[in-house]
Amino acid sequence: MADDDILDVDVAVCGAGPVGLALAAFLAQRGVAGSRIALVDGKSLGQAITDPRSIALSWGSVQLLEEVRAWPLPATPIHEIHVSRRGQLGRSLMDRSEHALPALGYVARYGDVVDALARACDRAGVRTLRPARVASFDEGPDSVRLLLDDGRHVDARVAVQAEGGVFGQQEGKARQRDYGQTAIIARVSVSEPVPHRAFERFTDEGPLALLPQDGGDGHGYALVWCMRPERALDVQLLDDAGFLAQLGDAFGTRLGRFTASSPRVAFPLGLNAEARATSRTVAIGNAAQTLHPVAGQGLNLGLRDAAVLARQLARGAAPAAIAAFMAARAQDRRLTIALTDTMARIFAGRGPLQPLLGMSLAALDAVKPARLLLAELMMFGRR
């Protein structure tokens, strides 16, 4: 093979979702030439930016997006987060005013985040190879050769795996837990919205989250409803009226009636985490840790991965940079995984512990330092 048939770069990023795109943009922002960065993704950009899924961006993530001029973008601010346990007394309310911030976070379309980050990468001249998938890796002492499914080759000093997929499609990692839950995702409308307030409601089967997302009528919410897989199958078969009625029974009347729903999507939930790295390869985002969606921490943790890895690789795409990244990210990853895993498990079920857990939310609301600490962990991670 002639040398001119091989693309030579410093960093190859496999996966051009928000985390992979953010890594490329951070690298360029920190001085790595765009021509020395390659992004490889199996989807066309058009497919990615039309993805209607909703994602929650913490305030810390918004600050990271601002660094690479990928913010502002269309998004609905969250001013308050209301946390409760169905059937139990006690709740906690987190408010932006306690942190002197314009918002605790924002709700945006996946496609809009991808579009903003792709524009940042384009401005920096990042090399983008799509649609293309990595067929094989061949790691040597000084570089990694990627063979793409279209026959092209990429030689990189470091290769980053940023394409994780969802739990049900992944190979098992060192730490794995099947929560026995399925998430039903949709956009729903209500009759009595509370502007800019997000809800996290724990039920016997799993958490139910409603995130404010303005669709033009001010009545819209992004729904993530977690339940047992067998029930999810039944719920998916319901017509809209039946679905909205069961959703109302599960959530209650804090937002009045549920009046409309988009088409629903369902996927299984689990924890699948392993801090994978070799001398020349490293995994970030969902490729390193797939989390339960409770508290919306998965993407935000991945963006922090991308920011720290870019800082290290900008000093030199070498094994020492990967080792420094792994050390720097260990505590935040460990704490965020433990937080979401614990919340997903202990608030589900009908055991005798549940009334105490409901009371713990009231205690959290009463003890301001604890509430502030939890909110800051959710917004910024372990710093």
Side-chain angles (χ1 to χ4, degrees):
M1 179 183 300
D3 288 344
D4 56 6
D5 293 330
I6 302 172
L7 177 61
D8 183 77
V9 295
D10 291 326
V11 182
V13 184
C14 307
V19 172
L21 285 164
L23 173 59
F26 286 135
L27 285 167
Q29 190 263 345
R30 291 186 174 276
V32 179
S35 60
R36 302 298 301 169
I37 307 165
L39 271 169
V40 183
D41 196 82
K43 292 181 179 179
S44 70
L45 182 58
Q47 288 175 299
I49 65 177
T50 56
D51 191 320
R53 287 179 292 168
S54 300
I55 55 178
L57 295 167
S58 69
W59 179 253
S61 291
V62 168
Q63 290 180 304
L64 293 177
L65 295 178
E66 284 180 330
E67 287 186 26
V68 293
R69 294 163 51 204
W71 187 269
L73 54 83
T76 303
I78 297 173
H79 295 170
E80 301 171 320
I81 302 174
H82 183 284
V83 186
S84 62
R85 175 63 170 89
R86 188 178 188 274
Q88 304 296 337
L89 296 175
R91 60 87 168 141
S92 183
L93 186 67
M94 301 176 187
D95 193 292
R96 62 173 180 164
S97 63
E98 294 182 322
H99 304 270
L101 293 174
L104 297 173
Y106 292 80
V107 185
R109 283 180 60 255
Y110 179 97
D112 287 334
V113 177
V114 166
D115 187 33
L117 285 166
R119 290 174 186 272
C121 290
D122 285 345
R123 289 193 298 268
V126 172
R127 310 284 290 270
T128 303
L129 310 176
R130 61 158 94 218
R133 298 183 185 277
V134 178
S136 66
F137 287 83
D138 183 12
E139 182 174 353
D142 300 314
S143 65
V144 182
R145 174 160 293 185
L146 283 61
L147 171 62
L148 307 188
D149 61 359
D150 60 8
R152 287 180 287 182
H153 291 76
V154 179
D155 276 359
R157 307 290 83 70
V158 166
V160 181
Q161 178 56 265
E163 179 59 74
V166 297
F167 175 73
Q169 301 170 347
Q170 296 174 341
E171 296 181 359
K173 298 185 175 71
R175 184 173 181 186
Q176 188 173 58
R177 188 192 309 280
D178 186 337
Y179 291 111
Q181 296 176 12
T182 292
I184 292 183
I185 309 298
R187 186 179 180 278
V188 297
S189 296
V190 300
S191 62
E192 300 174 22
V194 179
H196 305 296
R197 177 180 287 182
F199 294 85
E200 187 87 63
R201 184 141 168 83
F202 293 96
T203 76
D204 293 343
E205 297 187 63
L208 189 167
L210 285 165
L211 308 176
Q213 188 170 28
D214 188 5
D217 56 7
H219 288 220
Y221 287 81
L223 168 70
V224 182
W225 186 8
C226 306
M227 62 186 69
R228 291 188 299 271
E230 59 273 18
R231 184 173 178 221
L233 289 173
D234 294 336
V235 169
Q236 280 290 79
L237 295 175
L238 294 171
D239 60 17
D240 282 357
F243 172 71
L244 294 170
Q246 290 207 16
L247 177 57
D249 289 342
F251 180 76
T253 58
R254 286 186 177 89
L255 295 171
R257 295 177 298 103
F258 290 91
T259 59
S261 172
S262 70
R264 295 156 248 155
V265 178
F267 58 88
L269 300 177
L271 168 65
N272 198 26
E274 185 175 354
R276 291 181 174 174
T278 66
S279 294
R280 296 281 174 181
T281 70
V282 63
I284 62 173
N286 263 23
Q289 62 268 324
T290 298
L291 311 182
H292 192 287
V294 64
Q297 290 300 296
L299 173 61
N300 298 297
L301 182 62
L303 290 175
R304 297 197 294 272
D305 280 351
V308 175
L309 182 57
R311 184 166 65 243
Q312 298 299 335
L313 291 177
R315 298 170 181 166
I322 293 177
F325 163 80
M326 296 295 286
R329 294 298 297 138
Q331 189 175 40
D332 186 25
R333 283 174 157 178
R334 187 164 52 243
L335 181 60
T336 305
I337 289 169
L339 175 66
T340 58
D341 182 49
T342 300
M343 292 176 71
R345 291 185 295 113
I346 68 170
F347 279 100
R350 299 175 177 171
L353 186 62
Q354 295 305 314
L356 294 177
L357 294 172
M359 293 172 61
S360 73
L361 293 175
L364 180 66
D365 203 60
V367 181
K368 185 176 180 179
R371 187 174 68 255
L372 295 180
L373 176 60
L374 178 59
E376 289 185 5
L377 285 173
M378 293 170 64
M379 286 190 288
F380 303 107
R382 182 64 176 173
R383 296 185 290 182

